[in-house]
Amino acid sequence: MRTFQKATISFAAAALLLGGLAACSSTATAGSAASTPAASSSSAPTPVASIPSLKGVDTAVLLDGDFAAALTSLGLTPGTVGTATLTDGSLHFPITGGNVDYYDPAQSYRPFVQGSIKHEGSGFSLTAGSTVVELTNFTIDPGTSKLMGDVSVNGTSAATQVLLFDLYGGTLKPLQMDGDNAILEGTTVHISSVAAGLLNKTFGTDAVKDQMLVGIAKITVATK
């Protein structure tokens, strides 16, 4: 396959690259080589496809009904932060930057999808009485299927770019195109042990369980 090194990405390359994202997310969940550390940069091959600068659109998470019910039972009220929006039960976080490289999965280099998808200036909040926890500035690592972010409590930073959610791609749907946008839908989002512990400590509960299902993600990426 030819090397792709242009600043913008064609339809075919978008399908190739984001198809790789889907495969990587799925196999990483199963504990395959996709989640193992990459080889040293000195031995890194040339990617077969690359988006050097991501620009829009967003990552949306359709909230699971049981998760919403759990928040209600805990007396927690969800809200949006910054440029995030809540529409028809889905939280939307605009993609503000990042990059993705896709390597030939037939070769030994792992993870074969690497990079980051950034969502700076947005997030969501959980409020109980006078306590407000904000989870913001999400960064998705497609190579490890993890979502990192910042945490603040009542306006004071509690953690920076810690593991908040694990992403499982076993239920991903096939890649879809909508004009110049590539869409991946079906990855499930689960609360990490780190986030569960932080929320339980802050709100004085033990009800937030490690790997609790939050919802289903839909990542829409502008390819031009």
Side-chain angles (χ1 to χ4, degrees), residues 42 54 111 119 124 127 195 223:
S42 61
L54 293 174
H119 310 75
F124 71 96
T127 302
T223 63

Side-chain angles (χ1 to χ4, degrees), residues 4 6 9 13-14 16-22 24 47-54 95 97-103 112-118 140-143 219 221:
F4 185 87
K6 296 181 179 179
I9 190 165
L16 172 67
L17 178 59
L18 293 176
L21 272 171
C24 186
V48 296
S50 178
I51 303 179
S53 181
L54 293 174
I95 294 174
N99 62 86
V100 181
D101 290 329
Y102 173 80
Y103 298 89
F112 62 82
V113 180
Q114 298 183 29
S116 65
I117 304 174
K118 297 183 179 297
I140 294 175
D141 183 337
I219 302 175
V221 177

Side-chain angles (χ1 to χ4, degrees), residues 70-191:
L71 294 182
T72 300
S73 68
L74 292 171
L76 301 178
T77 301
T80 58
V81 178
T83 56
T85 59
L86 177 60
T87 305
D88 297 328
S90 290
L91 287 164
H92 293 258
F93 310 105
I95 294 174
T96 59
N99 62 86
V100 181
D101 290 329
Y102 173 80
Y103 298 89
D104 185 353
Q107 303 301 314
S108 61
Y109 193 68
R110 292 293 185 273
F112 62 82
V113 180
Q114 298 183 29
S116 65
I117 304 174
K118 297 183 179 297
H119 310 75
E120 296 179 355
S122 67
F124 71 96
S125 63
L126 295 172
T127 302
S130 60
T131 302
V132 180
V133 173
E134 293 185 347
L135 310 177
T136 59
N137 301 324
F138 301 141
T139 301
I140 294 175
D141 183 337
T144 61
S145 298
K146 297 185 182 301
L147 188 154
M148 317 296 283
D150 299 339
V151 182
S152 68
V153 180
N154 294 333
T156 300
S157 177
T160 302
Q161 290 301 295
V162 295
L163 175 60
L164 295 178
F165 304 103
D166 292 307
L167 310 176
Y168 299 137
T171 55
L172 270 170
K173 298 177 181 179
L175 175 76
Q176 302 176 55
M177 294 298 298
D178 182 8
D180 292 328
N181 294 334
I183 301 171
L184 279 176
E185 184 175 7
T187 296
T188 56
V189 181
H190 302 256
I191 292 178

